[in-house]
Amino acid sequence: MKKKPFNVVYEDNHLLIVNKAAGVLVQGDKTGDKTLTDYCKDYIAEKYNKPGAVFLHPIHRLDRPVSGLVAFARTSKGLERMMELFRKRDIHKVYWAIVKKRPREEMGKLTHWLTKDEQKNVVTAHEREVPGSQKAELNYKTLGKLNDHWLIEVRPISGRPHQIRVQLASMGCPIRGDLKYGFAKPNPDASINLHAFNLVFVHPIKKEKLYLRAALPENEFWEQFYEFEEVKAKDQHLDNTFSG
């Protein structure tokens, strides 16, 4: 049975937030493959019996091999206000990453300047600012070890393309399955073990705090780490402290 491209996590008149399966594109590229945006438009059209074009815009992106939360706007008002939240960094994002090598420090902050080769779709992290680079920052904490792999919680401060992947690789901890940034072998399903686990923000129209959480992917490797979800479920905060 083919896995679903997404599951709905939150939905109202202004927003649709889904848990994306690894391997699904958020927006179109040269492959021409069906995108998460297309799948979600189909869902809205069918559920609400909407003839004609459906208004639905992704507010941010996740790389194709990454799973987890993606937010869409269902109205122009929702889109404008959510984009503003992202610009002001008033949305707190939490990712889980599985790496083979233990980070030197249990927790810390990484700061790099990133440049992107558009032709190869590869990002390079520099220790200092270089021409054309963008500053990238994240906080991380090691949550625990299972079967020779380490689970790291990541809270990006900026939102740059491939940021978490290249920054973790730069400290010698490439994400499991991520050949592009130095992991030794691919995952069988071509995913990488990076999951957008939480989004926490104040709804821009209803003004209520939303704490959204995407279940870990249903595969054998991720399933070992379910025990850590218990810790995460109790983590109901808006600030940048860590779980546990």
Side-chain angles (χ1 to χ4, degrees):
M1 193 173 102
K2 198 176 174 205
K3 67 181 176 184
K4 288 168 66 174
F6 71 94
N7 288 301
V8 175
V9 175
Y10 178 86
E11 182 179 355
D12 66 15
N13 293 338
H14 294 282
L15 302 176
L16 175 68
I17 299 171
V18 302
N19 184 359
K20 177 183 95 68
V24 180
L25 279 168
V26 173
Q27 286 180 295
D29 69 0
K30 59 188 180 214
T31 64
D33 292 346
K34 188 166 181 175
T35 66
L36 181 66
T37 307
D38 296 329
Y39 284 117
C40 289
K41 281 184 176 181
D42 291 348
Y43 162 79
I44 296 282
E46 190 177 333
K47 180 170 180 180
Y48 298 101
N49 197 17
K50 279 184 177 285
V54 170
F55 183 98
L56 192 73
H57 282 270
I59 297 155
H60 60 120
R61 296 188 187 194
L62 277 190
D63 295 343
R64 186 170 195 163
V66 178
S67 57
L69 291 168
V70 179
F72 289 90
R74 292 189 57 201
T75 61
S76 54
K77 183 180 179 181
L79 179 62
E80 190 183 324
R81 293 194 182 179
M82 286 295 286
M83 296 293 276
E84 186 62 17
L85 286 185
F86 271 91
R87 264 197 301 275
K88 290 179 171 174
R89 297 181 179 170
D90 284 338
I91 291 192
H92 298 290
K93 293 180 280 186
V94 179
Y95 289 76
W96 277 10
I98 296 174
V99 301
K100 183 80 174 166
K101 189 177 169 197
R102 181 181 187 173
R104 270 208 306 269
E105 308 288 334
E106 186 189 336
M107 60 191 297
K109 181 178 181 180
L110 301 180
T111 302
H112 294 93
W113 280 263
L114 308 184
T115 53
K116 187 173 184 184
D117 182 328
E118 295 292 348
Q119 298 300 113
K120 295 179 180 169
N121 192 29
V122 173
V123 173
T124 303
H126 307 269
E127 295 296 323
R128 294 179 187 80
E129 191 171 3
V130 299
S133 63
Q134 291 184 304
K135 190 177 184 182
E137 297 177 292
L138 62 78
N139 291 308
Y140 73 88
K141 179 185 177 185
T142 308
L143 294 183
K145 182 187 183 190
L146 273 180
N147 295 334
D148 293 332
H149 288 82
W150 297 85
L151 179 64
I152 300 177
E153 181 172 303
V154 179
R155 299 191 177 224
I157 298 165
S158 48
R160 309 295 184 200
H162 297 197
Q163 173 182 341
I164 297 172
R165 298 166 65 180
V166 71
Q167 286 198 276
L168 291 187
S170 293
M171 71 169 183
C173 302
I175 294 166
R176 181 177 179 267
D178 197 357
L179 296 182
K180 183 173 277 194
Y181 293 106
F183 199 79
K185 60 181 183 180
N187 288 341
D189 62 358
S191 70
I192 66 174
N193 288 103
L194 178 62
H195 181 66
F197 198 72
N198 287 127
L199 281 175
V200 182
F201 61 96
V202 174
H203 194 296
I205 291 133
K206 294 180 176 176
K207 303 301 180 192
E208 61 191 32
K209 185 172 117 180
L210 293 181
Y211 176 90
L212 304 172
R213 185 165 166 267
L216 292 174
E218 291 177 9
N219 71 38
E220 285 178 14
F221 198 86
W222 270 116
E223 280 167 4
Q224 308 169 86
F225 292 87
Y226 283 177
E227 64 184 73
F228 292 101
E229 273 197 298
E230 290 300 307
V231 173
K232 199 70 194 117
K234 301 185 184 89
D235 184 16
Q236 298 278 337
H237 56 254
L238 248 178
D239 59 13
N240 271 323
T241 57
F242 286 95
S243 316

